[in-house]
Amino acid sequence: MAEKTASMLQAETVKANAKWRHDYQQRIPEDSTVTNRSGIDIKPLYGPDDWDSNRYMRDLGYPGQPPMTRGIYPTMYRGRTWSQRQLIGLGTPEDYNLRLRRLIEAGNSAISLIPCNSVYRGYDIDEVDPLLLGTCGTTVNTIEDMDRCFQAIDIGRISTAMNDPLPFTLLALLLAVAEKRGVSWQKITGTSNQSDYISHFVANHMFFRLALPGCRRVLVDHIAFCNDRVPNWNPLSVVGQHMQQAGATPAQAMAFTLCTAMHYVEDCLARGLDPARFLPRFTFFFDVSISFFEEIAKFRAGRRLWQEIVQQRFGVTEPRAWRFKFHAQTSGVDLTRQQPLNNIARVTVQAMAGIFGGLQSLHTDSYDEVLSSPTESAAQVAVNTQNVLREEAHLTDVIDPLGGSYYVETLTDQMEREIRSVIAHIDAAGGMFKAVETGLVQSMIGESAREFARKVESGEQVIVGVNAYQTEEDASMRQPLERPSAEGVQDQLNRLQRFKADRDRHKVDRALYELAAAADSEKVNVYSKVVDAAIACVTHGEIVACLRREYGDGVPLVEV
Amino acid sequence: MSARPRDEVEQLLERLIAGQRFALARAITLIESRAGPAPSILRSIRSAIGNARTLGLTGAPGVGKSTLINAVVREYRSRNKTVAVAAVDPSSPLSGGAVLGDRVRMGEHGGDDGVFIRSISSRGHLGGLSATTAQVVDLMDAAGWERIIVETVGAGQSQVEIAQVADVSVVVCAPGLGDDVQAMKAGILEIADVLVVNKADHPRADETYTQLVGMLDLGCGNRRSVPVLSTVATNGRGVVALVDAIEQRLPDSDSALRREHAARRIRFLIAQAAAHELKTYLSAESEAYMHELCERVARGELSVDKAARALLDAALKARD
Amino acid sequence: MAAKRPIKVLVTKIGLDGHDRGSRVVAAFLRDAGMEVVYTPPWQKIDAVVKLSLEEDVDVIGVSCLATDHLLIPKLLQALREADLKHIRVVVGGIVPDEDEKMLLDAGVSRVIHPGTALKDIATAIFDLAHEARAVDEFS
């Protein structure tokens, strides 16, 4: 009886499907091809032919269980909402401290520290044109600066994400402050963002400070040091964001990120580190574009693949090592200068894609980022976008709410196949390190960037306000800019000069000597010497310069 | 441009020989674009050349060539030699455009007046070496630069051409780039005066080194002793020894070897100019005749060799 | 005769920012439009840009700016004048706030190109400026 019903239902489905096909073709005889950014053709309708719920246990399973498609924790946002981690960092350490205190009073404990571009390039403030100082991040060069950043704040009770490329001088300065204040390093929590040198070599060149062999050595030393001495710190965040921003398709970005992570795992294993210890501290960082369903599928497929890679490729059985913890930032590339308020709508859609994709932490861009560094009022809108999505739209009520959607599941499978094929390509080229050394990844990204530019240029991809729906705009409506005062900058320069004059020169020289010696020797952990140098009042710029001398300056490989 | 007053060209030449940088830059532009005054410029500088020494540096993409050149330039600067670099980049056969990106690695000499770097697009020249590279080298020589480095990418013909232009040819390879050492056997080892294994800190560097030495022993570079040197361009290791080796192999100013090099270069220039003339004729005026020859070869009335000779004769007649 | 010589453009970035997707896409487009493009990575020093422009004999310099690196542009123009390279045209592309755009044009920048400008319009602008540069230059 039951069997008969099933086959009858089946026949009904086939009939209904055929009728729909007929009706659709009658109305749209020549359907246009729709292709997503990763090159996957999108059909007008998905159904049981595309995704069969009998595959539920194999492809989806339950949250917190392999293959992790539906999320890495059993509770997801029901247990704890995602961290709202906005980037902050503007002007002097005092400016930063004021903003930070306001955030902490408002109940935030997950904070970030974004340094000035001069810091990113590895310089102290007295090494660059003063016109550029403090305009896009905080100027932190010394233990004294770091102390001021966290004035009257218990650094043992906050979690700090630091944009701190190799050789991780900011963490070293933070640890130096902790030591000075008597705070145990066990209590220091947070993440070394921008620790993924491959992504810097390939895409975000600003953060690339040391030549590749030096990067390779310092990163593994950093991971080993943190695992041992700062065990609650995440020493590595593997970054897909830069590559996608530079033009990689979402599938490529995910594939390159997974390949990069595999390269780091291999380097850590070669050093003899324990994967059950270092892997749970790996984190990821992605761009979320406005290609809504594609992004959701990208995250779900990536999470599933990482679980498989860790368990099968590396044979790690510790379930905590399978967790694909990631932070996402809404993509600035999608934002437009034209009609900037439209960017609020874009950011909202991007944020939703990230949330449905199962992120652990989210940054939403300010709508004015294409005009200049974000103003405070625009940053407020960005934060409230997240609040609205959580509190008013109730996006956190259900775990993986799009799971089981024929379209989303099919697309997740297709994205997974696409990602696998890119991974196979990189594997065949000898792995990620080799593929970036020879420029293979760079030229793949460049090609995708040009292809996207071509679609926009031809009008195939509409961008509202740019190649369609343009309006005359009144530029006077735009907000005036906030820039640090020239006196503030001069004060800080004077302070750095005094700091350098007052410190114990002998200690500084010895710390630099030991740092250089460690760089040259296999036996000493270089990163432990970076931390010692920070404690000995060596400045950020001096540490980077020393390692640049030892390892060579970081020159990214640029393929046009 | 051909109507340019003579004294303007003369002025440019005076300024070039006096070492004015922009005069050299503009003269190179004129030569590269085969502008009207180009032949007279080249004739006039003849008497001012012969003091520079030229080294060719070649190797496959990814061996770290540009970084190495950077380091070699730095070493020469510390020896108080002025250095001009001509970096040859391929141009797109489709648009004729080019991205001259090898500048990428040369940032550090940006403030140094003792260094002159010019990128040259190959502008469709088959060999990979720009048709005018040898002439650019002569201009740099006339402008008083003491060492001239010609950098080329790619494989095969360009590296053989570089030997015609350079006093010393340096061939760079690196470990971990697959089968490039094997592929190199073909032409490069024969023209190399110095072989370099860059990225010598790479775990497989020893392997590459051994392979190269093995190939030399087998007689691939059987002319005279070709040293195999190891460098790490990113931190400068081995670069002093490399520059020493290059300098040792540079001919003295009035040696027989130097005269031989000079004669060889002029011969190369003449051959290149002839090839250019022929190419111009073939692309512009000979379409109908070429068509006829094709038909006759296809019908079996004429051999390919005979057709070629007939074409050459026609080209020469057209010149007269 | 001048038309025979391809237009030569320097595409570069000065200051501290390192985001070069825009400059790479533009460089590739100009190449495909038949120009010779000298491309540099970010963080060029002003004296290096001047020296490079001189040695390469470029017609136009395109500087891509994000963050606040455009604040250095007036210094670049001053340095070009001092090096007697007045004929070279300078365009700035990227994120430039409105109040600074006027400052740049007053300082002698030929064009400020904002995000969202069609690539073919950028190429046309550079083509026109290169011809302008050659017209005023005694030796071309």
Side-chain angles (χ1 to χ4, degrees):
Chain A
M1 175 75 188
E3 231 167 72
K4 194 179 171 194
T5 312
S7 69
M8 271 167 66
L9 274 173
Q10 169 94 38
E12 242 172 73
T13 308
V14 169
K15 203 173 138 201
N17 190 350
K19 176 171 167 21
W20 169 76
R21 232 173 254 285
H22 174 80
D23 291 351
Y24 186 87
Q25 270 164 11
Q26 284 248 302
R27 285 166 182 80
I28 313 178
E30 276 191 49
D31 204 0
S32 57
T33 328
V34 181
T35 310
N36 72 10
R37 296 185 181 194
S38 300
I40 293 167
D41 287 342
I42 304 299
K43 301 196 297 180
L45 186 75
Y46 291 82
D49 292 349
D50 300 291
W51 191 77
D52 174 357
S53 59
N54 285 328
R55 284 156 49 197
Y56 183 83
M57 275 314 288
R58 200 195 70 194
D59 294 351
L60 303 183
Y62 282 85
Q65 297 173 22
M68 300 279 188
T69 314
R70 309 205 66 182
I72 57 170
Y73 299 118
T75 54
M76 289 304 287
Y77 308 139
R78 275 286 185 126
R80 209 183 72 179
T81 179
W82 65 84
S83 313
Q84 283 176 282
R85 216 186 272 272
Q86 292 302 109
L87 304 179
I88 56 165
L90 200 72
T92 62
E94 282 81 357
D95 299 334
Y96 174 81
N97 182 253
L98 270 178
R99 191 111 158 223
L100 194 55
R101 284 205 227 176
R102 278 211 297 272
L103 280 171
I104 289 174
E105 275 159 26
N108 277 294
S109 61
I111 56 125
S112 66
L113 172 55
I114 306 303
C116 170
N117 284 353
S118 61
V119 176
Y120 281 143
R121 291 306 306 137
Y123 302 122
D124 286 338
I125 55 174
D126 55 0
E127 296 177 87
V128 303
D129 197 311
L131 277 175
L132 304 179
L133 287 177
T135 49
C136 35
T138 311
T139 47
V140 188
N141 293 160
T142 65
I143 177 175
E144 197 179 280
D145 292 337
M146 191 59 90
D147 202 21
R148 283 201 182 87
C149 284
F150 293 101
Q151 194 88 54
I153 291 166
D154 183 352
I155 53 174
R157 301 189 58 180
I158 51 171
S159 147
T160 314
M162 293 204 277
N163 270 14
D164 185 20
L166 281 125
F168 313 105
T169 50
L170 295 182
L171 176 61
L173 292 170
L174 183 68
L175 294 176
V177 169
E179 200 206 58
K180 198 174 128 197
R181 293 187 185 176
V183 177
S184 157
W185 288 355
Q186 302 271 337
K187 287 181 155 176
I188 301 295
T189 64
T191 303
S192 291
N193 279 333
Q194 309 310 344
S195 39
D196 171 5
Y197 59 85
I198 296 257
S199 72
H200 305 155
F201 180 68
V202 169
N204 194 330
H205 303 145
M206 180 137 75
F207 301 151
F208 194 63
R209 293 169 176 164
L210 305 177
L212 278 178
C215 289
R216 223 170 155 169
R217 162 87 194 274
V218 176
L219 180 66
V220 179
D221 277 8
H222 171 71
I223 293 171
F225 178 90
C226 289
N227 281 180
D228 271 358
R229 310 279 307 275
V230 200
N232 293 306
W233 187 263
N234 300 319
L236 175 66
S237 158
V238 190
V239 187
Q241 186 210 19
H242 301 318
M243 303 202 201
Q244 193 165 325
Q245 294 247 317
T249 66
Q252 281 176 333
M254 180 56 76
F256 293 151
T257 310
L258 294 174
C259 288
T260 304
M262 288 188 256
H263 160 71
Y264 295 143
V265 173
E266 279 158 11
D267 270 8
C268 288
L269 292 175
R271 180 67 68 82
L273 304 184
D274 175 9
R277 247 182 109 190
F278 69 75
L279 271 171
R281 289 268 157 226
F282 271 32
T283 64
F284 295 84
F285 183 166
F286 292 99
D287 201 45
V288 203
S289 80
I290 198 165
S291 185
F292 183 74
F293 289 105
E294 184 175 3
E295 289 293 343
I296 296 167
K298 172 182 92 175
F299 292 127
R300 298 174 90 245
R303 192 160 43 232
R304 188 151 82 195
L305 276 164
W306 181 243
Q307 196 277 329
E308 178 191 302
I309 289 166
V310 173
Q311 192 180 24
Q312 291 178 19
R313 224 187 243 228
F314 295 115
V316 181
T317 49
E318 164 61 49
R320 288 193 320 137
W322 300 340
R323 288 179 188 158
F324 189 68
K325 288 188 286 186
F326 73 93
H327 170 81
Q329 179 168 347
T330 59
S331 176
V333 173
D334 290 334
L335 306 188
T336 67
R337 177 190 161 84
Q338 293 82 356
Q339 308 172 30
L341 290 175
N342 293 347
N343 293 334
I344 299 174
R346 294 190 177 100
V347 169
T348 307
V349 175
Q350 295 168 332
M352 285 172 67
I355 294 163
F356 290 146
L359 50 76
Q360 275 60 57
S361 158
L362 173 63
H363 166 94
T364 34
D365 275 7
S366 301
Y367 68 84
D368 60 354
E369 282 190 16
V370 228
L371 305 176
S372 63
S373 294
T375 55
E376 197 164 350
S377 62
Q380 195 59 49
V381 173
V383 175
N384 276 330
T385 303
Q386 297 194 31
N387 292 333
V388 167
L389 292 176
R390 193 183 57 249
E391 306 290 348
E392 299 180 24
H394 286 263
L395 296 198
T396 50
D397 289 355
V398 173
I399 298 169
D400 187 30
L402 298 184
S405 147
Y406 295 122
Y407 175 36
V408 171
E409 295 305 347
T410 308
L411 193 59
T412 301
D413 291 348
Q414 287 173 314
M415 287 292 279
E416 183 186 323
R417 273 201 293 280
E418 194 60 35
I419 296 164
R420 277 185 199 279
S421 97
V422 178
I423 293 176
H425 191 56
I426 298 300
D427 278 346
M432 192 63 179
F433 193 82
K434 215 159 170 189
V436 302
E437 236 187 339
T438 53
L440 171 67
V441 171
Q442 290 87 329
S443 50
M444 286 169 78
I445 291 175
E447 209 167 289
S448 299
R450 285 193 295 280
E451 171 61 15
F452 190 73
R454 189 197 60 73
K455 279 189 176 172
V456 173
E457 192 85 357
S458 68
E460 204 175 316
Q461 171 67 57
V462 166
I463 313 264
V464 174
V466 175
N467 61 5
Y469 311 103
Q470 296 102 322
T471 51
E472 284 298 316
E473 285 184 73
D474 181 5
S476 65
M477 296 280 290
R478 291 183 189 140
Q479 296 265 351
L481 298 173
E482 299 163 16
R483 286 213 179 120
S485 69
E487 300 85 61
V489 168
Q490 191 52 50
D491 280 354
Q492 234 206 324
L493 280 163
N494 295 341
R495 215 157 63 190
L496 177 63
Q497 213 170 16
R498 267 200 312 278
F499 175 85
K500 283 185 176 173
D502 290 349
R503 60 193 176 163
D504 182 340
R505 190 67 231 183
H506 174 70
K507 279 188 183 162
V508 168
D509 290 344
R510 198 180 54 204
L512 280 170
Y513 170 79
E514 285 181 359
L515 177 61
D520 214 26
S521 144
E522 300 275 303
K523 296 198 181 73
V524 187
N525 185 309
V526 188
Y527 190 63
S528 73
K529 293 298 165 189
V530 171
V531 176
D532 288 352
I535 293 170
C537 290
V538 180
T539 68
H540 154 76
E542 290 165 340
I543 293 171
V544 177
C546 171
L547 290 178
R548 274 180 170 150
R549 276 192 300 276
E550 291 306 311
Y551 292 124
D553 194 6
V555 183
L557 175 61
V558 181
E559 297 271 314
V560 176
Chain B
M1 216 180 278
S2 46
R4 178 192 307 283
R6 271 210 73 76
D7 58 336
E8 223 176 86
V9 176
E10 268 159 32
Q11 236 183 51
L12 181 71
L13 278 168
E14 264 168 41
R15 283 163 53 185
L16 179 143
I17 289 171
Q20 252 197 39
R21 315 168 63 84
F22 186 63
L24 172 59
R26 181 49 56 87
I28 294 174
T29 305
L30 293 174
I31 295 297
E32 267 204 295
S33 52
R34 299 180 185 283
S40 74
I41 290 175
L42 290 171
R43 222 172 21 247
S44 318
I45 58 164
R46 277 280 132 210
S47 58
I49 64 179
N51 298 314
R53 294 293 176 273
T54 307
L55 34 139
L57 201 138
T58 190
V63 297
K65 230 169 14 261
S66 303
T67 318
L68 185 62
I69 289 186
N70 223 353
V72 167
V73 170
R74 194 185 314 130
E75 177 58 23
Y76 270 124
R77 294 302 294 140
S78 76
R79 299 183 186 194
N80 281 321
K81 295 278 184 219
T82 61
V83 189
V85 179
V88 184
D89 278 302
S91 60
S92 153
L94 287 178
S95 67
V99 170
L100 307 167
D102 264 344
R103 281 285 188 171
V104 163
R105 310 278 166 129
M106 299 195 181
E108 78 174 82
H109 308 293
D112 181 355
D113 278 346
V115 180
F116 185 103
I117 302 169
R118 177 69 174 237
S119 356
I120 296 168
S121 137
S122 67
R123 296 207 181 154
H125 185 66
L126 283 177
L129 201 58
S130 157
T132 50
T133 304
Q135 297 163 351
V136 170
V137 167
D138 283 347
L139 284 174
M140 289 172 161
D141 186 349
W145 294 89
E146 295 170 301
R147 292 290 176 272
I148 299 167
I149 302 177
V150 180
E151 180 196 1
T152 54
V153 210
Q157 190 57 28
S158 61
Q159 285 134 346
V160 179
E161 277 186 21
I162 205 172
Q164 309 284 327
V165 176
D167 295 310
V168 169
S169 293
V170 181
V171 174
V172 189
C173 44
L177 289 174
D179 297 332
D180 63 326
V181 171
Q182 286 302 317
M184 275 177 45
K185 261 195 275 188
I188 308 188
L189 286 186
E190 277 150 46
I191 61 114
D193 300 305
V194 177
L195 278 166
V196 177
V197 179
N198 191 31
K199 303 189 184 177
D201 52 349
H202 188 283
R204 290 182 54 198
D206 289 347
E207 210 175 295
T208 309
Y209 184 92
T210 317
Q211 267 181 319
L212 276 178
V213 172
M215 269 150 59
L216 286 173
D217 288 347
L218 283 173
C220 296
N222 205 6
R223 297 159 304 149
R224 56 205 153 97
S225 66
V226 176
V228 183
L229 302 173
S230 295
T231 57
V232 182
T234 45
N235 64 17
R237 257 170 243 167
V239 174
V240 173
L242 169 60
V243 172
D244 285 343
I246 293 168
E247 287 294 304
Q248 268 172 29
R249 281 161 181 77
L250 289 175
D252 294 333
S253 43
D254 53 353
S255 65
L257 186 60
R258 177 72 189 155
R259 281 193 296 277
E260 186 197 311
H261 279 185
R264 189 174 67 191
R265 186 183 301 173
I266 290 174
R267 200 176 308 142
F268 178 68
L269 285 172
I270 295 172
Q272 214 179 36
H276 180 75
E277 285 286 341
L278 184 63
K279 209 170 128 195
T280 315
Y281 169 77
L282 286 179
S283 60
E285 298 158 56
S286 61
E287 199 40 53
Y289 188 44
M290 186 69 170
H291 184 73
E292 183 198 322
L293 289 175
C294 285
E295 302 250 290
R296 290 178 59 194
V297 172
R299 284 198 298 269
E301 296 170 16
L302 204 63
S303 75
V304 171
D305 289 346
K306 285 225 170 87
R309 230 166 287 146
L311 197 62
L312 278 174
D313 287 343
L316 288 175
K317 248 177 238 150
R319 274 294 290 178
D320 303 333
Chain C
M1 200 68 196
K4 193 182 161 196
R5 166 155 69 102
I7 285 166
K8 199 160 176 181
V9 199
L10 168 63
V11 176
T12 188
K13 276 174 77 66
I14 56 176
L16 298 169
D17 175 68
H19 293 87
D20 54 8
R21 175 180 183 166
S23 63
R24 281 184 295 116
V25 168
V26 168
F29 190 85
L30 297 180
R31 171 197 61 202
D32 295 342
M35 300 185 195
E36 287 186 358
V37 183
V38 180
Y39 180 86
T40 79
W43 322 304
Q44 300 301 313
K45 299 261 187 329
I46 284 174
D47 58 347
V49 172
V50 172
K51 182 168 182 282
L52 195 157
S53 308
L54 182 150
E55 291 169 4
E56 295 285 359
D57 194 8
V58 300
D59 305 299
V60 178
I61 302 174
V63 192
S64 162
C65 294
L66 275 85
T68 45
D69 294 331
H70 62 273
L71 296 174
L72 299 179
I73 296 281
K75 292 186 180 179
L76 170 65
L77 289 157
Q78 180 60 29
L80 284 169
R81 282 193 289 272
E82 280 164 15
D84 214 12
L85 297 173
K86 289 184 276 288
H87 62 282
I88 296 178
R89 295 294 181 255
V90 176
V91 298
V92 175
I95 298 178
V96 175
D98 299 305
E99 59 256 49
D100 289 344
E101 176 166 354
K102 188 172 176 321
M103 179 274 288
L104 292 180
L105 294 174
D106 289 346
V109 167
S110 299
R111 275 278 306 267
V112 175
I113 294 171
H114 297 294
T117 308
L119 288 168
K120 59 180 187 312
D121 294 342
I122 298 176
T124 310
I126 290 188
F127 185 84
D128 291 345
L129 288 170
H131 282 267
E132 216 178 287
R134 287 181 188 183
V136 299
D137 177 15
E138 51 168 335
F139 267 114
S140 56

